[in-house]
Amino acid sequence: MTPYDEWHLETHRLGRRVLVFDQLDSTSTTAAALANDPANDGVVVLANSQTAGRGQHGRSWQCAPGTGVLMSVLLFPPPEIRRPALLTAWAAVSVCEMVREVANLQGRIKWPNDVLLRGRKVCGILIESRAVADSRLAVVAGIGLNVNQTAAMFDDAGLPDATSLGIAAERLFDAAEVARTLIRHLDDEYTRMCHGDRATLEACWKWRLGLLGRQVEAECGDGKYHGRLREVSFDGLELEQGDATVLRLEPERVRQLRLV
Amino acid sequence: MADEAPNNPRPFNVKTVKYLITLMSQHDLSEIDLREGDLRIRLARGTLGPTVTTIAAPPVALPTAAPVAPSGPAAAPAKPAKALTEIKSPTPGTFYSKPNPESETFVRVGSRVSPTTVVCIIEAMKIFNEITADCTGVVAEILVENQQAVEYGQVLFRIDPTG
């Protein structure tokens, strides 16, 4: 499988090389196959269509050819940012910032990393990591973004809770331009993290989760916890209990976070 | 003595914290500070503000290799003949024994592993981290079930390096 086009964006790390394919089994599988060479740090794999797009843990990701952005980014993050909470927030916030730029809409993040527009899912993110040689960790961030799908297409596919940029903004988008804008935002946020600035990402993440001050239920591996969400940070989610105590849950423990 | 209450929660989890908070309030204690190895839990209550309870202190990181520690006869008195190597979870999360629900498990008891063998996936915040054995031997024990919640440092597998 050879790419039909290759882009070289003027970014810091991500997208200095973008391999554009017509059709792939999965952009993440192709990106992961590049993980043996450290020089591939930041390579982006794009495809117009996937025959075996992957969603979470074995689910499929459906996208009619040419209607969305199907992208996977290969990264070898330094040890200080190898945290699930950071990587999840990085991808989801970058997607939201891109949406704001191209469509002038404010996306919300549904814990942990779905991006919603007007309550419907516009983007799915699947991040996989594995150890490779020389103590490097290869991270492949797969992003499936709905761009020009119509409501009828989602109805036909049995996805009533999905939306696209086109539906939400009531116009069509240039998918390639959307992809380039997304890569730039991913690069900006990633570069900032690598330079030690997590506060900006944390603030954007907190705001886009949008649950501060609300009564929530946090579902963890060992049970469900309730309380008023008084703080969200990479250090923990703080749930104010009725008895004036505060429970702090590490983000990585929280599987679902929802309003009650 | 350490085994007198095997059904109690593990030393540092939410149930334990809740239990400690109850004890503090019953006995009007202002502070509890417990340590075990790298884990520390400190609970304080007072009039200046609400008590903040931190659950699980060690930094969470995706490793390039699973933390592996030999468990000698002292740690496993029931099996004094063999020193087994433990593969531990690098992060809190969900343990997956297979790459997807339809697949075979990565390894089973008796499987031979090398340092690069993927033994499981630990998922946290929808980040799926493949864990490699980082040692050579034969899987002697699998201590967790598919989709079970695991803690930082929890032993997932014991590997017999002489197998």
Side-chain angles (χ1 to χ4, degrees):
Chain A
M1 203 70 76
T2 49
Y4 75 80
D5 197 4
E6 187 166 326
W7 304 342
H8 297 275
L9 307 184
E10 291 188 2
T11 49
H12 296 97
R13 294 176 78 149
L14 271 82
R16 296 187 67 82
R17 194 166 164 233
V18 183
L19 307 175
V20 189
F21 294 83
D22 183 39
Q23 187 179 71
L24 287 175
D25 292 351
S26 147
T27 55
S28 285
T29 303
T30 301
L34 301 170
N36 289 328
D37 185 353
N40 288 329
D41 187 26
V43 167
V44 177
V45 174
L46 271 175
N48 291 328
S49 69
Q50 294 184 125
T51 53
R54 293 204 302 276
Q56 287 157 19
H57 205 63
R59 289 178 212 148
S60 66
W61 179 264
Q62 303 174 34
C63 179
T67 59
V69 168
L70 303 167
M71 173 193 292
S72 293
V73 184
L74 171 65
L75 291 165
F76 301 110
E80 60 272 19
I81 58 174
R82 292 176 189 170
R83 254 194 79 178
L86 287 177
L87 293 170
T88 291
W90 158 70
V93 166
S94 298
V95 169
C96 291
E97 294 297 316
M98 176 278 296
V99 169
R100 187 188 52 76
E101 180 177 330
V102 303
N104 199 26
L105 294 168
Q106 295 289 12
R108 287 283 176 199
I109 299 172
K110 177 173 169 251
W111 190 275
N113 66 4
D114 284 343
V115 176
L116 307 183
L117 282 178
R118 299 186 177 137
R120 295 184 170 199
K121 183 166 167 175
V122 71
C123 180
I125 299 168
L126 179 72
I127 302 182
E128 296 165 298
S129 70
R130 73 180 307 180
V132 289
D134 305 327
S135 297
R136 281 178 294 123
L137 184 81
V139 169
V140 174
I143 297 174
L145 176 76
N146 299 329
V147 180
N148 287 325
Q149 290 95 333
T150 62
M153 290 166 81
F154 289 129
D155 286 344
D156 290 346
L159 298 167
D161 294 327
T163 191
S164 67
L165 286 181
I167 295 169
E170 299 180 336
R171 67 179 176 89
L172 291 177
F173 289 84
D174 175 349
E177 189 52 40
V178 168
R180 281 190 286 269
T181 308
L182 176 55
I183 292 168
R184 277 197 296 273
H185 280 284
L186 288 164
D187 182 60
D188 285 349
E189 299 295 335
Y190 189 76
T191 304
R192 229 187 334 242
M193 262 199 310
C194 288
H195 289 162
D197 172 12
R198 297 179 188 181
T200 308
L201 177 66
E202 193 172 57
C204 293
W205 182 56
K206 182 195 305 196
W207 181 75
R208 293 200 184 273
L209 281 166
L211 299 173
L212 275 187
R214 312 286 295 274
Q215 287 292 326
V216 298
E217 175 184 88
E219 184 183 324
C220 299
D222 59 352
K224 294 175 177 173
Y225 300 93
H226 296 86
R228 194 179 72 88
L229 189 67
R230 76 164 204 171
E231 179 60 293
V232 174
S233 76
F234 295 133
D235 290 336
L237 275 60
E238 293 183 4
L239 297 188
E240 207 168 83
Q241 314 281 283
D243 55 1
T245 60
V246 173
L247 191 64
R248 184 184 285 158
L249 301 167
E250 236 179 332
E252 281 81 1
R253 290 173 181 275
V254 180
R255 291 174 171 178
Q256 298 291 337
L257 183 68
R258 55 178 83 90
L259 284 174
V260 289
Chain B
M1 289 301 284
D3 292 328
E4 69 181 5
N7 293 326
N8 277 2
R10 285 163 46 78
F12 297 97
N13 68 16
V14 176
K15 283 178 188 151
T16 308
V17 169
K18 282 190 156 175
Y19 177 63
L20 292 173
I21 290 172
T22 313
L23 276 185
M24 287 174 80
S25 129
Q26 275 174 359
H27 300 286
D28 203 31
L29 301 175
S30 59
E31 188 170 333
I32 293 182
D33 193 347
L34 301 172
R35 291 172 203 232
E36 183 186 71
D38 293 337
L39 294 165
R40 179 183 181 193
I41 188 162
R42 179 173 170 270
L43 304 176
R45 63 192 192 118
T47 52
L48 293 176
T51 308
V52 173
T53 308
T54 299
I55 297 168
V60 177
L62 297 170
T64 51
V68 173
S71 71
K79 298 182 179 62
K82 287 185 178 177
L84 301 178
T85 304
E86 294 179 338
I87 302 176
K88 297 179 178 180
S89 179
T91 166
T94 304
F95 172 90
Y96 288 105
S97 62
K98 38 182 142 177
N100 66 62
E102 288 77 41
S103 302
E104 292 290 308
T105 56
F106 288 109
V107 292
R108 52 185 67 188
V109 171
S111 295
R112 182 161 290 280
V113 298
S114 70
T116 57
T117 304
V118 176
V119 291
C120 67
I121 288 173
I122 303 290
E123 177 265 328
M125 296 186 79
K126 296 292 188 288
I127 300 215
F128 292 79
N129 185 29
E130 287 186 355
I131 306 298
T132 46
D134 205 37
C135 64
T136 301
V138 168
V139 177
E141 289 178 70
I142 302 175
L143 294 103
V144 281
E145 303 275 330
N146 189 35
Q147 300 196 33
Q148 181 181 327
V150 295
E151 299 290 324
Y152 171 87
Q154 184 170 341
V155 179
L156 309 172
F157 299 90
R158 291 204 176 98
I159 307 295
D160 180 355
T162 64

PDB file of all heavy atoms in Angstrom, chain A residues 73-91:
ATOM      1  N   VAL A  73      -1.876   9.431  14.284  1.00  0.00           N
ATOM      2  CA  VAL A  73      -0.603  10.125  14.524  1.00  0.00           C
ATOM      3  C   VAL A  73       0.299   9.192  15.317  1.00  0.00           C
ATOM      4  O   VAL A  73      -0.137   8.610  16.314  1.00  0.00           O
ATOM      5  CB  VAL A  73      -0.840  11.405  15.361  1.00  0.00           C
ATOM      6  CG1 VAL A  73       0.455  12.176  15.523  1.00  0.00           C
ATOM      7  CG2 VAL A  73      -1.908  12.274  14.739  1.00  0.00           C
ATOM      8  N   LEU A  74       1.541   9.065  14.878  1.00  0.00           N
ATOM      9  CA  LEU A  74       2.525   8.263  15.615  1.00  0.00           C
ATOM     10  C   LEU A  74       3.446   9.200  16.392  1.00  0.00           C
ATOM     11  O   LEU A  74       4.008  10.136  15.820  1.00  0.00           O
ATOM     12  CB  LEU A  74       3.357   7.424  14.640  1.00  0.00           C
ATOM     13  CG  LEU A  74       4.561   6.691  15.242  1.00  0.00           C
ATOM     14  CD1 LEU A  74       4.114   5.617  16.240  1.00  0.00           C
ATOM     15  CD2 LEU A  74       5.425   6.076  14.147  1.00  0.00           C
ATOM     16  N   LEU A  75       3.584   8.929  17.684  1.00  0.00           N
ATOM     17  CA  LEU A  75       4.430   9.766  18.533  1.00  0.00           C
ATOM     18  C   LEU A  75       5.255   8.895  19.477  1.00  0.00           C
ATOM     19  O   LEU A  75       4.822   7.812  19.873  1.00  0.00           O
ATOM     20  CB  LEU A  75       3.567  10.709  19.382  1.00  0.00           C
ATOM     21  CG  LEU A  75       2.834  11.823  18.628  1.00  0.00           C
ATOM     22  CD1 LEU A  75       1.760  12.424  19.522  1.00  0.00           C
ATOM     23  CD2 LEU A  75       3.811  12.889  18.163  1.00  0.00           C
ATOM     24  N   PHE A  76       6.409   9.403  19.827  1.00  0.00           N
ATOM     25  CA  PHE A  76       7.218   8.777  20.883  1.00  0.00           C
ATOM     26  C   PHE A  76       7.338   9.800  22.006  1.00  0.00           C
ATOM     27  O   PHE A  76       8.334  10.533  22.092  1.00  0.00           O
ATOM     28  CB  PHE A  76       8.604   8.398  20.343  1.00  0.00           C
ATOM     29  CG  PHE A  76       8.555   7.451  19.170  1.00  0.00           C
ATOM     30  CD1 PHE A  76       8.897   7.883  17.900  1.00  0.00           C
ATOM     31  CD2 PHE A  76       8.153   6.139  19.338  1.00  0.00           C
ATOM     32  CE1 PHE A  76       8.854   7.018  16.814  1.00  0.00           C
ATOM     33  CE2 PHE A  76       8.105   5.262  18.255  1.00  0.00           C
ATOM     34  CZ  PHE A  76       8.452   5.702  16.984  1.00  0.00           C
ATOM     35  N   PRO A  77       6.349   9.898  22.861  1.00  0.00           N
ATOM     36  CA  PRO A  77       6.356  10.988  23.851  1.00  0.00           C
ATOM     37  C   PRO A  77       7.447  10.795  24.899  1.00  0.00           C
ATOM     38  O   PRO A  77       7.766   9.664  25.267  1.00  0.00           O
ATOM     39  CB  PRO A  77       4.968  10.900  24.490  1.00  0.00           C
ATOM     40  CG  PRO A  77       4.487   9.519  24.200  1.00  0.00           C
ATOM     41  CD  PRO A  77       5.159   9.067  22.939  1.00  0.00           C
ATOM     42  N   PRO A  78       8.013  11.907  25.363  1.00  0.00           N
ATOM     43  CA  PRO A  78       8.993  11.818  26.449  1.00  0.00           C
ATOM     44  C   PRO A  78       8.296  11.337  27.720  1.00  0.00           C
ATOM     45  O   PRO A  78       7.081  11.456  27.855  1.00  0.00           O
ATOM     46  CB  PRO A  78       9.487  13.260  26.596  1.00  0.00           C
ATOM     47  CG  PRO A  78       8.414  14.110  26.003  1.00  0.00           C
ATOM     48  CD  PRO A  78       7.748  13.287  24.955  1.00  0.00           C
ATOM     49  N   PRO A  79       9.073  10.769  28.660  1.00  0.00           N
ATOM     50  CA  PRO A  79       8.463  10.145  29.846  1.00  0.00           C
ATOM     51  C   PRO A  79       7.494  11.057  30.601  1.00  0.00           C
ATOM     52  O   PRO A  79       6.476  10.578  31.108  1.00  0.00           O
ATOM     53  CB  PRO A  79       9.671   9.802  30.721  1.00  0.00           C
ATOM     54  CG  PRO A  79      10.806   9.652  29.762  1.00  0.00           C
ATOM     55  CD  PRO A  79      10.538  10.612  28.634  1.00  0.00           C
ATOM     56  N   GLU A  80       7.777  12.357  30.657  1.00  0.00           N
ATOM     57  CA  GLU A  80       6.951  13.229  31.495  1.00  0.00           C
ATOM     58  C   GLU A  80       5.530  13.415  30.959  1.00  0.00           C
ATOM     59  O   GLU A  80       4.662  13.887  31.689  1.00  0.00           O
ATOM     60  CB  GLU A  80       7.632  14.587  31.718  1.00  0.00           C
ATOM     61  CG  GLU A  80       7.917  15.384  30.461  1.00  0.00           C
ATOM     62  CD  GLU A  80       9.273  15.050  29.831  1.00  0.00           C
ATOM     63  OE1 GLU A  80       9.838  13.977  30.125  1.00  0.00           O
ATOM     64  OE2 GLU A  80       9.757  15.881  29.031  1.00  0.00           O
ATOM     65  N   ILE A  81       5.295  13.061  29.713  1.00  0.00           N
ATOM     66  CA  ILE A  81       3.905  13.191  29.249  1.00  0.00           C
ATOM     67  C   ILE A  81       3.269  11.835  28.891  1.00  0.00           C
ATOM     68  O   ILE A  81       2.244  11.784  28.232  1.00  0.00           O
ATOM     69  CB  ILE A  81       3.763  14.190  28.080  1.00  0.00           C
ATOM     70  CG1 ILE A  81       4.636  13.786  26.910  1.00  0.00           C
ATOM     71  CG2 ILE A  81       4.096  15.595  28.510  1.00  0.00           C
ATOM     72  CD1 ILE A  81       4.392  14.696  25.706  1.00  0.00           C
ATOM     73  N   ARG A  82       3.868  10.762  29.380  1.00  0.00           N
ATOM     74  CA  ARG A  82       3.283   9.439  29.127  1.00  0.00           C
ATOM     75  C   ARG A  82       2.199   9.121  30.139  1.00  0.00           C
ATOM     76  O   ARG A  82       2.289   8.140  30.879  1.00  0.00           O
ATOM     77  CB  ARG A  82       4.372   8.366  29.211  1.00  0.00           C
ATOM     78  CG  ARG A  82       5.375   8.437  28.097  1.00  0.00           C
ATOM     79  CD  ARG A  82       6.458   7.411  28.321  1.00  0.00           C
ATOM     80  NE  ARG A  82       7.551   7.596  27.363  1.00  0.00           N
ATOM     81  CZ  ARG A  82       8.712   6.962  27.443  1.00  0.00           C
ATOM     82  NH1 ARG A  82       8.927   6.102  28.428  1.00  0.00           N
ATOM     83  NH2 ARG A  82       9.639   7.190  26.550  1.00  0.00           N
ATOM     84  N   ARG A  83       1.217   9.980  30.223  1.00  0.00           N
ATOM     85  CA  ARG A  83       0.136   9.745  31.183  1.00  0.00           C
ATOM     86  C   ARG A  83      -1.165   9.670  30.427  1.00  0.00           C
ATOM     87  O   ARG A  83      -1.468  10.541  29.615  1.00  0.00           O
ATOM     88  CB  ARG A  83       0.045  10.904  32.165  1.00  0.00           C
ATOM     89  CG  ARG A  83       0.561  10.585  33.534  1.00  0.00           C
ATOM     90  CD  ARG A  83       0.119  11.642  34.514  1.00  0.00           C
ATOM     91  NE  ARG A  83      -1.267  11.447  34.938  1.00  0.00           N
ATOM     92  CZ  ARG A  83      -1.885  12.212  35.830  1.00  0.00           C
ATOM     93  NH1 ARG A  83      -1.246  13.207  36.380  1.00  0.00           N
ATOM     94  NH2 ARG A  83      -3.133  11.970  36.163  1.00  0.00           N
ATOM     95  N   PRO A  84      -1.991   8.649  30.702  1.00  0.00           N
ATOM     96  CA  PRO A  84      -3.269   8.567  29.999  1.00  0.00           C
ATOM     97  C   PRO A  84      -4.077   9.864  30.059  1.00  0.00           C
ATOM     98  O   PRO A  84      -4.623  10.292  29.041  1.00  0.00           O
ATOM     99  CB  PRO A  84      -3.986   7.428  30.733  1.00  0.00           C
ATOM    100  CG  PRO A  84      -2.875   6.532  31.187  1.00  0.00           C
ATOM    101  CD  PRO A  84      -1.751   7.472  31.565  1.00  0.00           C
ATOM    102  N   ALA A  85      -4.120  10.510  31.213  1.00  0.00           N
ATOM    103  CA  ALA A  85      -4.947  11.724  31.330  1.00  0.00           C
ATOM    104  C   ALA A  85      -4.445  12.830  30.402  1.00  0.00           C
ATOM    105  O   ALA A  85      -5.229  13.520  29.751  1.00  0.00           O
ATOM    106  CB  ALA A  85      -4.954  12.221  32.778  1.00  0.00           C
ATOM    107  N   LEU A  86      -3.131  12.989  30.327  1.00  0.00           N
ATOM    108  CA  LEU A  86      -2.570  14.038  29.472  1.00  0.00           C
ATOM    109  C   LEU A  86      -2.823  13.751  28.000  1.00  0.00           C
ATOM    110  O   LEU A  86      -3.231  14.630  27.239  1.00  0.00           O
ATOM    111  CB  LEU A  86      -1.055  14.139  29.694  1.00  0.00           C
ATOM    112  CG  LEU A  86      -0.563  14.756  30.987  1.00  0.00           C
ATOM    113  CD1 LEU A  86       0.962  14.688  31.044  1.00  0.00           C
ATOM    114  CD2 LEU A  86      -1.009  16.205  31.071  1.00  0.00           C
ATOM    115  N   LEU A  87      -2.579  12.516  27.599  1.00  0.00           N
ATOM    116  CA  LEU A  87      -2.705  12.181  26.176  1.00  0.00           C
ATOM    117  C   LEU A  87      -4.163  12.239  25.725  1.00  0.00           C
ATOM    118  O   LEU A  87      -4.474  12.697  24.632  1.00  0.00           O
ATOM    119  CB  LEU A  87      -2.107  10.792  25.920  1.00  0.00           C
ATOM    120  CG  LEU A  87      -0.581  10.725  26.132  1.00  0.00           C
ATOM    121  CD1 LEU A  87      -0.095   9.281  26.107  1.00  0.00           C
ATOM    122  CD2 LEU A  87       0.150  11.553  25.072  1.00  0.00           C
ATOM    123  N   THR A  88      -5.049  11.789  26.588  1.00  0.00           N
ATOM    124  CA  THR A  88      -6.479  11.850  26.275  1.00  0.00           C
ATOM    125  C   THR A  88      -6.938  13.305  26.141  1.00  0.00           C
ATOM    126  O   THR A  88      -7.622  13.665  25.183  1.00  0.00           O
ATOM    127  CB  THR A  88      -7.274  11.154  27.391  1.00  0.00           C
ATOM    128  OG1 THR A  88      -6.997   9.757  27.326  1.00  0.00           O
ATOM    129  CG2 THR A  88      -8.758  11.353  27.231  1.00  0.00           C
ATOM    130  N   ALA A  89      -6.539  14.126  27.095  1.00  0.00           N
ATOM    131  CA  ALA A  89      -6.938  15.538  27.067  1.00  0.00           C
ATOM    132  C   ALA A  89      -6.342  16.244  25.852  1.00  0.00           C
ATOM    133  O   ALA A  89      -7.006  17.049  25.188  1.00  0.00           O
ATOM    134  CB  ALA A  89      -6.495  16.237  28.349  1.00  0.00           C
ATOM    135  N   TRP A  90      -5.085  15.933  25.559  1.00  0.00           N
ATOM    136  CA  TRP A  90      -4.406  16.545  24.403  1.00  0.00           C
ATOM    137  C   TRP A  90      -5.217  16.323  23.114  1.00  0.00           C
ATOM    138  O   TRP A  90      -5.482  17.273  22.363  1.00  0.00           O
ATOM    139  CB  TRP A  90      -3.000  15.949  24.266  1.00  0.00           C
ATOM    140  CG  TRP A  90      -2.411  16.057  22.900  1.00  0.00           C
ATOM    141  CD1 TRP A  90      -1.999  17.204  22.288  1.00  0.00           C
ATOM    142  CD2 TRP A  90      -2.214  14.992  21.969  1.00  0.00           C
ATOM    143  NE1 TRP A  90      -1.541  16.901  21.020  1.00  0.00           N
ATOM    144  CE2 TRP A  90      -1.658  15.569  20.800  1.00  0.00           C
ATOM    145  CE3 TRP A  90      -2.428  13.615  21.999  1.00  0.00           C
ATOM    146  CZ2 TRP A  90      -1.333  14.796  19.673  1.00  0.00           C
ATOM    147  CZ3 TRP A  90      -2.112  12.848  20.894  1.00  0.00           C
ATOM    148  CH2 TRP A  90      -1.573  13.438  19.751  1.00  0.00           C
ATOM    149  N   ALA A  91      -5.594  15.072  22.864  1.00  0.00           N
ATOM    150  CA  ALA A  91      -6.294  14.769  21.616  1.00  0.00           C
ATOM    151  C   ALA A  91      -7.676  15.423  21.587  1.00  0.00           C
ATOM    152  O   ALA A  91      -8.067  16.050  20.598  1.00  0.00           O
ATOM    153  CB  ALA A  91      -6.401  13.256  21.442  1.00  0.00           C
TER     154      ALA A  91
END
